[in-house]
Amino acid sequence: MTFTRYTERTAFERPLTSGVAYAVRVLRSEREEFEKQQGWTIKRMDTFEHNPVHKDEPSPIEEEYAPVIFAQDTVSHVISLDMLSGKEDRENVLRARASGKGVLTAPFRLLKTNRLGVILTFAVYKRELPSNATPNERIEATDGYLGGIFDIESLVEKLLHQLASKQTIFVNVYDITNLSHPISMYGSNVSDDGLWLVSTLNFGDPFRKHEMRCRFKQKAPWPLLAISTSIGILVIASLVGHIFQATVNRIAKVEEDYHGMMELKKKAEAADVAKSQFLATVSHEIRTPMNGVLGMLDMLMDTELDVTQQDYVRTAQASGKALVSLINEVLDQAKVESGKLELEAVSFNLRAILDDVLSLFSGKSQDKGVELAVYISDRVPETLIGDPGRFRQIITNLMGNSIKFTEKGHIFVTVYLVEEVVDSIEVETELSSSKNTLSGYPVADRCHSWKGFKTFNQDGSTSPFKSSSADLINLIVSVEDTGQGIPLEAQSRIFTPFMQVGPSISRTHGGTGIGLSISKYLVGRMKGEIGFVSIPNIGSTFTFTAVFGNGSSTSNEHNSQQMNNQPNSVSSEFQGMKALVVDPRPIRAKVSRYHIQRLGIQVEVVSDQLQCLSQIASGSKIINMILVEQEVWEKDTSVSTLFVNNLRKLGCGFQSKLFLLANSISSSRANTSTDGVSIPSVIMKPLRSSMLAASLQRAMGVGNKGNIRNWELPSMSLRHLLLGRKILIVDDNNVNLKVAAAGLKRYGAAVVCVERGKKATELLMPPHQFDACFMDIQMPEMDGFEATKIIREMEHNFNNRIRRGEVSIEAYENVSNFHVPILAMTADVIQATYEECLRSGMDGYVSKPFEAEQLYREVSRFFPPIPDRSP
């Protein structure tokens, strides 16, 4: 397209040129790849000339080809034709590249028009050549061929028209390269009566010779007229020569510009590769020591530490994870710029993802006294198909910003189907007030955050193709906060990479300013949109949509991602129980109801303690637990005291079933008593099913009473999860060996460590007793890729021996097919490294820095489940 536009715009400089085309030099070894790139087959020129019906016949196998890849619109029919397959063109092309000068063909009939014409050809070289370069050097340096096409008949007629007179003149143009057989290029056959004026024409090619013969149609002209006509003819000849010379110069300029453009393209591509390589190298060099730092800190947390020491370790862990997060953001931005960021399509639990993110920010929200909550509509399927990691990244970015800039009030995440939100817009508008928010603080109306979404029609309804269906689920997610808001002058650049609201923000809160830009890109890749509304000193609401697959019916067709921090949504020990929630705020009560119902508990909501007592006193329902909002409990201590006393009168044992939903650690500890009456058991917010289940189990004496940490599985001790499994760890870094070994031993695995790939090939030579292997990639002597290939080759040979009966499987515990799972363990997180791992025969990938849970989660995929061994 660029070539076509250029030739069109500069056509006025070549008024007598019929067209310009460029053919590239292609060797026989390059033909297949070249045709794949171009999307067409190289075709024969001679077939097109003599039999246009069979013009698509491919060019036969030759040592090299010269297919046309660029052509001016007027001669676009020559694209894909091999110039070396035409007799005249082949001779022209070969002479042009060997001499380095413009070469003119003998006259021939032009394609399509069938008019007599010639082609002026120049060779295009890959580099500058000295003037004394040999023909072989020129041939070797040839990159392609540039040709200008001239219609001789049109050219001469145009020039004669400019010199029209009262007398009619006959003009004949001949190619006299072969004097014995001159070729007529223009004119009619008129008898030679000796009155012809003969002039030599120079078209710029010293090899070919041309002459022009002119005479008057009737009587001989007067001497003066004859002289002036002769001069005119000479002028014509000069003009023709000048036109050809100008064309030569212009084509040379085009060739120079083309070379310059190609050089710039190569430099840009080299710079892009250098940047990607630099980022990958820096990432690797930082991740490797950070794996040791974070791993050792995690091991240190398992030792006996006092409160101060634990605080120091947690601070160091948070700082290390912040650095890793920064590296990930910079790498993601580089992937976004290069268009290489890919999304997965796996099955995942949306509610588990959000519970996990709540756990991440629960400490900060409790320290600040900011209420943090999540609500997911019941109409959202339990299982979705998409990229859970990237969805988590978007939520984490938005909630992380909210946590940074919110000092009071709340942060509220909601997830609905798009059509649900549209149906409830009018209702929400009517009820919208400060009293109907999660914490009572005013908020920015979230309806304005999706104002410009294409998902919604102008009348507020959803487009049919954007609505959820049996196969596709269109979600709308909002993150609402009561923070300081975004200044009006900064809102236009909020999604610009590396842009901060102001320099003081970066100094006060940190961050790179690329989280939102990456989130916007990821939302776009999920076929969604993102927007926001923000009011200074009130707060901000960010909303995005995303399209996922419905995993409820097609989960078997996709890979499944297990969420280890999420127990079953309905715990059997709570099934059928009834709870009473005391909360005057409808939205907050709705959130509490959502999380409690996830455990299978039936929930009713009342606005104050008096209504609660009335419900219990009626005796119509057996209430197993009462959950009182902290705001209600602390509003009037005398009422709370009376409430507890009345509960005692109504029935014994209620104190163990009375819970306080607290938002701040400090306030829950400060109010340890209310007029001598002990406060109920405290359940700290944010509410999430695993934490809520553990708190109720401890207080009510049902199910597992132990403290469940985020990475523990219910009803199963960690030390039994990999008991009896023998795992090999290969890494040249001694610190990484210690970290990985300690993490796997925590789950009960027997671990063997080696520092070289060659040693790993010796230990994993079949038959062996290892159940899995974690393999570092970058190691001296033999890297992880080479070691894995050798191991797979040994397994293949041994399995063949078993199939041929040369080895008895009874001697090896009836194992008929040796294949040890090998998982890459590397600091390289680029897509190319992951693909190379799969090509070399590895089964998985663990990026550094890693945690014990991550190692267990990856390796456990290859083992059958172990029955519960807990008492």
Side-chain angles (χ1 to χ4, degrees), residues 264-523:
L264 290 175
K265 179 175 177 289
K266 291 177 182 178
K267 289 179 181 179
E269 290 174 346
D272 184 60
V273 171
K275 183 182 74 171
S276 299
Q277 189 61 43
F278 170 76
L279 289 173
T281 302
V282 170
S283 169
H284 181 275
E285 295 305 318
I286 295 177
R287 283 174 181 274
T288 300
M290 282 307 301
N291 184 60
V293 171
L294 293 176
M296 289 299 178
L297 288 172
D298 192 48
M299 293 166 60
L300 186 59
M301 282 296 291
D302 288 338
T303 63
E304 295 184 2
L305 302 175
D306 59 33
V307 175
T308 303
Q309 291 170 331
Q310 289 182 6
D311 181 60
Y312 291 163
V313 174
R314 288 193 185 97
T315 302
Q317 284 180 318
S319 300
K321 290 179 179 178
L323 177 58
V324 174
S325 177
L326 173 63
I327 296 170
N328 290 337
E329 285 188 344
V330 173
L331 282 175
D332 281 345
Q333 182 63 29
K335 291 178 182 177
V336 169
E337 292 176 353
S338 62
K340 296 180 180 178
L341 196 151
E342 301 294 335
L343 298 185
E344 291 183 307
V346 298
S347 184
F348 69 96
N349 187 318
L350 177 67
R351 290 165 177 81
I353 290 280
L354 288 172
D355 276 0
D356 191 39
V357 177
L358 282 178
S359 300
L360 181 66
F361 294 111
S362 61
K364 291 182 180 178
S365 66
Q366 290 167 1
D367 291 342
K368 286 185 170 186
V370 174
E371 184 151 1
L372 185 61
V374 165
Y375 176 80
I376 302 176
S377 167
D378 293 336
R379 291 179 59 184
V380 176
E382 192 75 20
T383 305
L384 300 175
I385 296 172
D387 192 325
R390 295 303 180 183
F391 180 79
R392 183 203 305 262
Q393 183 177 355
I394 298 170
I395 294 292
T396 302
N397 278 335
L398 297 179
M399 291 184 66
N401 287 338
S402 294
I403 285 287
K404 281 182 187 178
F405 302 113
T406 303
E407 301 298 331
K408 63 183 186 302
H410 68 265
I411 298 168
F412 187 28
V413 181
T414 59
V415 183
Y416 291 93
L417 299 182
V418 167
E419 50 265 37
E420 283 186 277
V421 172
V422 174
D423 295 340
S424 63
I425 285 177
E426 294 182 2
V427 177
E428 288 195 3
T429 303
E430 294 174 1
L431 298 176
S432 180
S433 68
S434 61
K435 293 183 179 180
N436 276 326
T437 65
L438 185 71
S439 61
Y441 283 85
V443 297
D445 186 0
R446 63 176 182 158
C447 293
H448 295 295
S449 64
W450 63 67
K451 192 173 182 180
F453 284 9
K454 297 177 182 178
T455 304
F456 301 97
N457 292 326
Q458 293 182 352
D459 58 359
S461 61
T462 56
S463 303
F465 63 91
K466 291 292 185 178
S467 300
S468 300
S469 63
D471 298 325
L472 295 178
I473 301 298
N474 195 5
L475 299 183
I476 182 165
V477 184
S478 293
V479 180
E480 172 188 282
D481 68 57
T482 56
Q484 65 189 51
I486 304 169
L488 297 177
E489 64 274 10
Q491 293 186 11
S492 61
R493 62 176 187 270
I494 201 69
F495 292 112
T496 304
F498 303 104
M499 293 296 292
Q500 295 276 20
V501 170
S504 61
I505 296 297
S506 180
R507 291 194 298 269
T508 305
H509 300 283
T512 60
I514 58 178
L516 285 177
S517 67
I518 293 173
S519 296
K520 183 176 182 180
Y521 176 82
L522 292 175
V523 167

Side-chain angles (χ1 to χ4, degrees), residues 766-767 797-812 815-816 818:
N797 294 336
F798 191 81
N799 292 334
N800 285 339
R801 292 179 60 195
I802 292 177
R803 283 191 286 272
R804 290 194 298 265
E806 298 175 9
V807 179
S808 173
I809 63 173
E810 286 77 10
Y812 306 112
V815 177
S816 59
F818 273 88

